[in-house]
Amino acid sequence: MLKYIIYILVFITPLIPLPWGAYRLKQASLIDFILIILLVIWSFKLSFEKMKKTSLDALDFVYIISQALILMIICVLTPYVLFWMPIYEHCGFGDRLVIALNRDSILIFIFYILFSVWWIIGMIRKYWQFPKTKLNLPIIIFLLSVCLSLINSHNPLLSIYLFRAFLTGILFYYILISNPLNNKEIHVLILCLVSSLSIVCIFGFLQRFIGFGLLNHFPGMQEFHKISELTAIKVQEIPRIASTMQNPNLLAQILIGGIFLLLGLSGSIGFVSQSFFMIVMLAGLILTYSRSVWLATLIGITIFFSIKLNKKYRAIIYIVLLLFLLFAIFFQFSATERMRSSINIFTDESIISRFEAWKCSWKIFKDNIFFGTGLNTYAIVYPKYKGSNAIPMLDAHNTFINTAVEMGIIGCISLIWIFIGFLRNMYEKSKTTENTIHKNMSIALFSCLIALAIAGLFENLWYDPRIILIFWTLFSIGVVL
């Protein structure tokens, strides 16, 4: 049952648009509620393992009662706020939903903490084993740096919201590696993500070409257009698809994972199916007009085939990649203009705003070098440091710089450590494993993370709960190979 819920969670993650509050992590989302179900099932599984060795003790009963109490409050409070709470009787359904999800967000965070404490104590007492991986130490240091950043946070509540999103991804990672899937199940998990992303892209095509199902009325898209106006990004001049991800850059980032996982399945999936999924996702990637992700994907695919193919075949893939780049550039006039603006770094407003953000980020980092400003607080601190003509920025448009600013030097080092540790692990597996499927997937994940790291130099990847969850899904697939 556990694995089927895992499949469902991975499948629906890209498909479900989030209310803007959840998109900026202020509210709970469907991802959190499904993860709670996973944690409850896993709790029962761990409790049965413990009962084989000893009986349940007082700590277990406190945890079970607390867990049940939180679930009961969520199940009772949410519909009460939505339909009956008198104080909100003049609010629309959408407003009441936001209020309910805000309250659920804190309860879910407490639920995560309770589970984590109970699980860690159980491992200390050796009732169950802590999964041994090379990423454990940097993950622990990363979580400790998150806790330390709360001390200096400019808005502790906003920091807790993002902390909850990080816990969502990390707990899902440990669920997967503690209940490892076999080759067939990994195959199904990847197909769940790839098919979901293909549906998202097709919906984006319908939005782009025939105006079907536009999300302009949806809170997330409204806010995206408002922010685009503030940051001088002229959305209407470049018809970039966003689909259910509500932001073209987010869609491009999540497509990186799907494209490389599909490459990793080469030889174990039908050629027609693989070609269909690949064409749909590459077309979706092109139509996001995300320049940094275009560059990152090209480099990642080049690395993949450079490792995988013999030297005599590498020239062929370089020609194919060149044709792909030319297609992206000349697909239509707006794409050409988008690429030209990348070259004109002194006139392109998007690039200038990034340079300004990076310059200000260095000043912020120097003033908060150890603990950072607190998770999710960049937008609060940035106005105090920016120049008079600088435009508003919600983040640093760089994953590593943003982490350094919000979590301090320890958080940034631990994040880089996680990336390097995973890359090293995948490279070693690609060289030592005799299993062809594992070898292909190791090379694909190695190339994928390099592509994500390159994209992360121009965008902040870790602020949307859907991206965070898929990120940790990629890590878990690599670890269980």
Side-chain angles (χ1 to χ4, degrees):
M1 183 177 180
L2 198 67
K3 65 182 179 184
Y4 294 113
I5 298 175
I6 289 171
Y7 297 154
I8 292 169
L9 179 55
V10 170
F11 180 77
I12 70 163
T13 293
L15 286 173
I16 307 299
L18 301 179
W20 178 251
Y23 176 68
R24 276 292 168 184
L25 306 169
K26 294 179 182 179
Q27 290 128 26
S29 66
L30 186 60
I31 295 171
D32 295 295
F33 293 113
I34 296 177
L35 185 66
I36 283 179
I37 296 171
L38 274 173
L39 291 176
V40 170
I41 295 172
W42 194 23
S43 297
F44 279 114
K45 184 178 178 182
L46 291 172
S47 297
F48 283 124
E49 288 180 14
K50 182 177 180 179
M51 285 190 289
K52 292 177 182 178
K53 300 177 182 180
T54 183
S55 58
L56 299 179
D57 54 26
L59 177 66
D60 297 304
F61 287 109
V62 169
Y63 166 70
I64 292 169
I65 292 170
S66 302
Q67 186 185 62
L69 185 62
I70 291 173
L71 289 175
M72 184 179 69
I73 293 173
I74 291 174
C75 291
V76 172
L77 183 63
T78 303
Y80 178 62
V81 172
L82 279 176
F83 301 108
W84 298 295
M85 198 167 184
I87 194 173
Y88 301 123
E89 61 183 1
H90 298 297
C91 297
F93 181 81
D95 294 329
R96 293 198 301 271
L97 179 63
V98 168
I99 294 166
L101 291 175
N102 258 322
R103 299 189 177 194
D104 290 342
S105 182
I106 300 301
L107 291 169
I108 289 169
F109 176 73
I110 295 170
F111 185 98
Y112 288 169
I113 296 297
L114 281 172
F115 174 83
S116 301
V117 170
W118 176 74
W119 181 49
I120 291 168
I121 291 174
M123 287 184 292
I124 292 172
R125 294 182 176 181
K126 298 182 178 179
Y127 295 135
W128 43 78
Q129 291 185 341
F130 188 72
K132 296 179 181 178
T133 76
K134 294 180 180 179
L135 296 184
N136 284 343
L137 183 56
I139 289 173
I140 290 169
I141 295 173
F142 180 81
L143 288 173
L144 287 175
S145 65
V146 170
C147 296
L148 290 173
S149 72
L150 291 172
I151 297 172
N152 195 43
S153 177
H154 289 246
N155 189 320
L157 191 58
L158 278 179
S159 297
I160 286 174
Y161 289 142
L162 185 51
F163 190 7
R164 189 205 72 240
F166 283 166
L167 283 177
T168 301
I170 292 172
L171 286 172
F172 187 63
Y173 165 80
Y174 278 111
I175 289 173
L176 278 171
I177 67 173
S178 299
N179 303 274
L181 306 176
N182 58 38
N183 287 342
K184 184 178 179 180
E185 290 166 343
I186 292 174
H187 190 145
V188 173
L189 181 68
I190 293 171
L191 287 178
C192 284
L193 178 60
V194 167
S195 58
S196 175
L197 290 175
S198 297
I199 294 170
V200 169
C201 288
I202 291 169
F203 183 66
F205 302 154
L206 294 174
Q207 289 177 317
R208 168 66 180 82
F209 294 110
I210 65 174
F212 173 79
L214 288 171
L215 293 175
N216 288 330
H217 64 282
F218 199 82
M221 284 307 294
Q222 290 172 5
E223 289 295 331
F224 174 64
H225 284 282
K226 289 177 185 177
I227 291 165
S228 298
E229 292 170 6
L230 285 173
T231 56
I233 299 172
K234 298 176 182 178
V235 179
Q236 299 303 327
E237 289 188 8
I238 301 177
R240 307 168 65 187
I241 68 169
S243 192
T244 57
M245 293 301 292
Q246 302 155 275
N247 183 316
N249 292 326
L250 286 177
L251 176 58
Q253 291 159 18
I254 203 168
L255 283 172
I256 292 178
I259 289 168
F260 282 95
L261 287 175
L262 191 59
L263 285 174
L265 287 181
S266 299
S268 56
I269 181 176
F271 175 77
V272 174
S273 300
Q274 186 177 26
S275 300
F276 171 77
F277 288 135
M278 186 62 75
I279 290 169
V280 169
M281 289 193 291
L282 284 175
L285 181 64
I286 292 169
L287 289 173
T288 63
Y289 297 110
S290 180
R291 296 166 293 188
S292 59
V293 177
W294 283 356
L295 174 64
T297 304
L298 282 169
I299 294 173
I301 292 175
T302 303
I303 291 170
F304 175 81
F305 285 106
S306 295
I307 297 173
K308 184 175 172 57
L309 296 181
N310 296 326
K311 290 183 179 179
K312 63 179 180 180
Y313 295 115
R314 290 177 189 170
I316 298 173
I317 195 60
Y318 295 150
I319 293 171
V320 172
L321 289 172
L322 179 61
L323 291 173
F324 169 75
L325 179 60
L326 291 173
F327 174 73
I329 294 173
F330 297 109
F331 181 76
Q332 61 180 38
F333 179 75
S334 56
T336 309
E337 288 299 306
R338 187 88 174 139
M339 292 301 294
R340 284 176 182 168
S341 66
S342 301
I343 300 171
N344 301 323
I345 62 173
F346 298 108
T347 58
D348 183 81
E349 293 174 335
S350 178
I351 295 175
I352 292 171
S353 67
R354 281 169 168 78
F355 284 147
E356 179 66 24
W358 297 341
K359 184 172 69 175
C360 289
S361 296
W362 173 245
K363 298 176 185 177
I364 302 170
F365 174 69
K366 287 194 295 184
D367 291 345
N368 303 272
I369 191 167
F370 294 111
F371 300 126
T373 63
L375 290 177
N376 216 13
T377 59
Y378 187 92
I380 297 173
V381 179
Y382 179 72
K384 302 174 185 176
Y385 290 83
K386 74 180 182 70
S388 57
N389 296 323
I391 59 178
M393 299 290 281
L394 293 175
D395 53 57
H397 281 279
N398 182 301
T399 303
F400 306 99
I401 292 175
N402 203 85
T403 302
V405 167
E406 295 187 346
M407 294 175 57
I409 191 167
I410 299 174
C412 185
I413 290 173
S414 61
L415 177 62
I416 295 171
W417 188 355
I418 291 171
F419 270 71
I420 293 175
F422 184 78
L423 285 171
R424 183 179 177 182
N425 189 17
M426 291 301 95
Y427 186 77
E428 289 175 352
K429 284 186 177 181
S430 70
K431 294 296 183 183
T432 57
T433 184
E434 298 295 329
N435 187 307
T436 305
I437 297 175
H438 289 182
K439 187 179 185 70
N440 285 343
M441 190 56 66
S442 298
I443 297 171
L445 288 170
F446 176 83
S447 307
C448 180
L449 197 65
I450 290 179
L452 285 167
I454 293 170
L457 295 176
F458 304 97
E459 295 289 343
N460 179 25
L461 303 178
W462 282 26
Y463 73 88
D464 185 278
R466 297 165 294 185
I467 300 291
I468 292 170
L469 186 86
I470 298 303
F471 227 111
W472 286 101
T473 302
L474 296 175
F475 284 146
S476 62
I477 291 172
V479 169
V480 300
L481 287 177

